[in-house]
Amino acid sequence: MSSNTDQTNFCAKLAPLYEPALVKLYGNDPNTLQASKERYQDLCQGYTATFDLANLQNDSFYFFSTPGRSEIMGNHTDHQHGRVICSAISLDIIALVKPISEPVIRLKSKDYNKVDEIDLNDLNVHADEIGHSAALIRGVCAKLKELGYKVGGFECYTSANVPSGSGLSSSAAFEVMIISIIDKLYNNNVINPLLRAQIAQYAENVYFDKPCGLMDQCGCSFGGMIKIDFANSKDVNVEQFKNPFANSDYHLVISKAGGSHADLTNDYADIPAEMRSVSHCFGKNVLREVAEADFWRRLSQLRNQVNDRALLRSIHFFSEQERVEHAGQCLAKNDIAEFLKLVQASGQSSWQLLQNIYSNQNPLEQPISIALAVSAHILNGQGAYRVHGGGFAGTIQAYVPANLLAEYKQTIDAVCGANSVLDLQIRPYGAVCLEDII
C-alpha cells in the first residue's frame, strides 16, 4: 500500500499520456471525456491504495479496457448452432496492471473487498471457487498454458460500469480482459479475437461451471457490430460491420425493466431443451441440422410428439435465421431503415413464439411486457424495441430517435424506476491495451 502523496503524484502523470486512447474508446464529447478521465484516475487511486508502488514507473504498468456486449438479433439461437448479431458497447471493465516476477496473479475489483490470488503453479479446478472470479482467472490460465502460451504473474486493479445481471455480459468481459492482459504482457498480442473468446468460454464452462455459449465472449473480444454463424462449432464464422448508427439519428438504449432472475433456471433451460426435443424427432442434435422445409412438412405429426411451445420456439429459430442473414446484408449496405424493421420483427418473434418475456411460474409479474408496451407507445412506429438477452426479467433494448430520447428516458424511469435507461454507443474496439491505440 502506498502513501497519499505517492498516489497523487502517480495519478497526476496519467491523463495527458492516455487522452488520445480515451477519445478513441469513449468519444470526444467534453462531459464524457472528463468522466472517463476521472474514472481512470479513480482506478489509479484504487490500485495504489491496494498494491505497492515500489519500482512502478511509466513504462512498467498498463491500462486495459474490455467492453460489454449487447445482443442485437438471434435471440436464443446460438445453442442450436444458429446465427446471431451482437455488438460491443461503450460500457466496459477497465484495469491497471503491473507485471511481476512471482508466479502469481493478484486481482482486486473496486466493488469487492477480497483480493483474488491465483498460484500459477496450481491451475486445477478448485471446487470452492466455482461461481467466483478466481475460477475464471484460473481457468483462463489453465487453457492458455494447455495451448502452449506463456502465462506469468501480475497485480491488477479493476473497475466496471457493466451492470451485472443486465444482459450486457459482465462475466464474459472479465474473462476476455484477463486473456488480453496475459496476451499483452507475455505473448506479444498474438492471440486472435476468436481464440480469446473460445478460451474465455472454456473457463466459464469448466472452471466457473456455467454452460454458456460463445456469443457473449465474441462480442467482448471482437469489437464493433458482428454477425456470428455457429454452424460449425469448431470453426465459427465471424463477420464484422462498420457502426451503422455512427452518423444516424438513433440512440441504442438498454432499459432495466426490473424483475428477479432468481428461480428462472428452469425457464432458461426449457428453451434449448424444447428446441432439441424437436430436432431429436428428426434424428438430429440441434435445429440447425434440420431442414426448415422438412419441419413444416411434418408439423402435424410433430404435434403428437412434442408440446406446442417447443414447436413455436422452433418456428422462432427458423424465422430468426432468415432475419439475421437479411440483417447482415442491411448492415453491409448501411440500410438502417430495413435493419430496424428486422429488429422489430425479431422482437415480436421473441414475444410471440420464443415466449421469453415473462415466466409462466409467475404470470402476474410482467416487467418486460410493461417496458415493451411503454416503448411501443412512445416510439409509435419509429425506431425499434425488443427484449434483450435471456429474457423473462432484466432488460429491454430500443433504438430511439434523438427527438424522442428525453421523453423515452423520463417515461421509462417513471415506470421502471430512476436511472433505468442506459444510453449506449457501439464501440469499434474489443479488448485492448490502451497504449496500443494511442
Side-chain angles (χ1 to χ4, degrees), residues 104-144:
V104 63
I105 293 173
R106 299 187 185 95
L107 185 144
K108 170 73 168 64
S109 295
K110 178 181 178 180
D111 296 326
Y112 297 90
N113 292 325
K114 182 182 176 183
V115 176
D116 287 324
E117 186 163 318
I118 308 299
D119 181 352
L120 297 179
N121 293 317
D122 175 16
L123 297 180
N124 297 311
V125 174
H126 286 212
D128 61 331
E129 292 178 348
I130 290 174
H132 299 281
S133 57
L136 298 174
I137 302 169
R138 200 179 301 273
V140 159
C141 293
K143 191 63 176 179
L144 284 167

Side-chain angles (χ1 to χ4, degrees), residues 34 156 164-165 218 248 329 350 369 391 401 406:
Q34 181 59 33
C156 174
S164 60
C218 283
S248 83
Q329 296 168 4
S350 290
S369 304

Side-chain angles (χ1 to χ4, degrees), residues 205-427:
N205 289 172
V206 178
Y207 280 69
F208 197 76
D209 197 28
K210 180 181 177 181
C212 67
L214 188 61
M215 177 186 65
D216 295 351
Q217 289 80 2
C218 283
C220 298
S221 187
F222 276 87
M225 191 174 282
I226 59 175
K227 184 180 78 171
I228 314 170
D229 192 331
F230 292 103
N232 183 348
S233 58
K234 294 182 179 179
D235 186 21
V236 175
N237 180 263
V238 179
E239 182 179 359
Q240 290 183 280
F241 303 98
K242 293 181 179 179
N243 179 4
F245 300 102
N247 299 307
S248 83
D249 192 40
Y250 290 98
H251 290 250
L252 172 61
V253 168
I254 299 295
S255 299
K256 294 175 280 188
S260 171
H261 284 87
D263 301 322
L264 292 176
T265 301
N266 291 337
D267 293 285
Y268 292 126
D270 282 346
I271 295 176
E274 290 180 5
M275 288 183 176
R276 285 194 173 95
S277 73
V278 174
S279 66
H280 291 165
C281 293
F282 293 86
K284 306 296 184 181
N285 291 320
V286 292
L287 284 175
R288 185 64 180 271
E289 299 170 353
V290 177
E292 183 179 2
D294 291 342
F295 169 84
W296 287 106
R297 191 178 301 114
R298 289 180 52 182
L299 183 57
S300 60
Q301 299 170 358
L302 291 170
R303 292 195 69 192
N304 297 317
Q305 296 175 272
V306 298
N307 66 63
D308 283 350
R309 189 174 68 176
L311 296 174
L312 291 171
R313 286 173 164 171
S314 298
I315 294 170
H316 165 78
F317 172 84
F318 290 121
S319 61
E320 193 76 342
Q321 295 313 287
E322 293 179 10
R323 272 190 294 271
V324 169
E325 195 64 20
H326 188 187
Q329 296 168 4
C330 292
L331 290 172
K333 297 184 295 184
N334 203 38
D335 186 346
I336 294 176
E338 184 63 20
F339 175 78
L340 291 177
K341 290 179 183 178
L342 293 167
V343 171
Q344 189 62 54
S346 176
Q348 290 301 118
S349 181
S350 290
W351 198 336
Q352 297 169 355
L353 300 175
L354 183 62
Q355 299 180 24
N356 66 332
I357 306 303
Y358 63 90
S359 172
N360 287 329
Q361 300 176 60
N362 188 11
L364 299 184
E365 181 182 337
Q366 297 194 32
I368 296 289
S369 304
I370 291 293
L372 292 172
V374 171
S375 297
H377 174 70
I378 298 171
L379 295 178
N380 193 27
Q382 300 183 66
Y385 57 91
R386 58 161 304 129
V387 66
H388 181 251
F392 299 109
T395 56
I396 69 165
Q397 179 189 86
Y399 299 80
V400 182
N403 66 313
L404 293 177
L405 185 62
E407 179 187 358
Y408 188 87
K409 286 182 175 181
Q410 182 179 11
T411 308
I412 291 289
D413 281 356
V415 173
C416 300
N419 302 314
S420 291
V421 178
L422 301 171
D423 187 4
L424 305 178
Q425 302 294 324
I426 294 174
R427 166 170 152 159

Side-chain angles (χ1 to χ4, degrees), residues 143-150 187:
K143 191 63 176 179
L144 284 167
K145 208 164 186 178
E146 177 189 321
L147 293 173
Y149 293 103
K150 295 177 183 178
N187 296 281

Side-chain angles (χ1 to χ4, degrees), residues 73-93:
M73 199 178 297
N75 199 205
H76 279 287
T77 66
D78 56 334
H79 49 67
Q80 299 301 300
H81 295 189
R83 303 183 185 100
V84 302
I85 294 175
C86 65
S87 174
I89 57 172
S90 48
L91 301 181
D92 61 355
I93 299 179

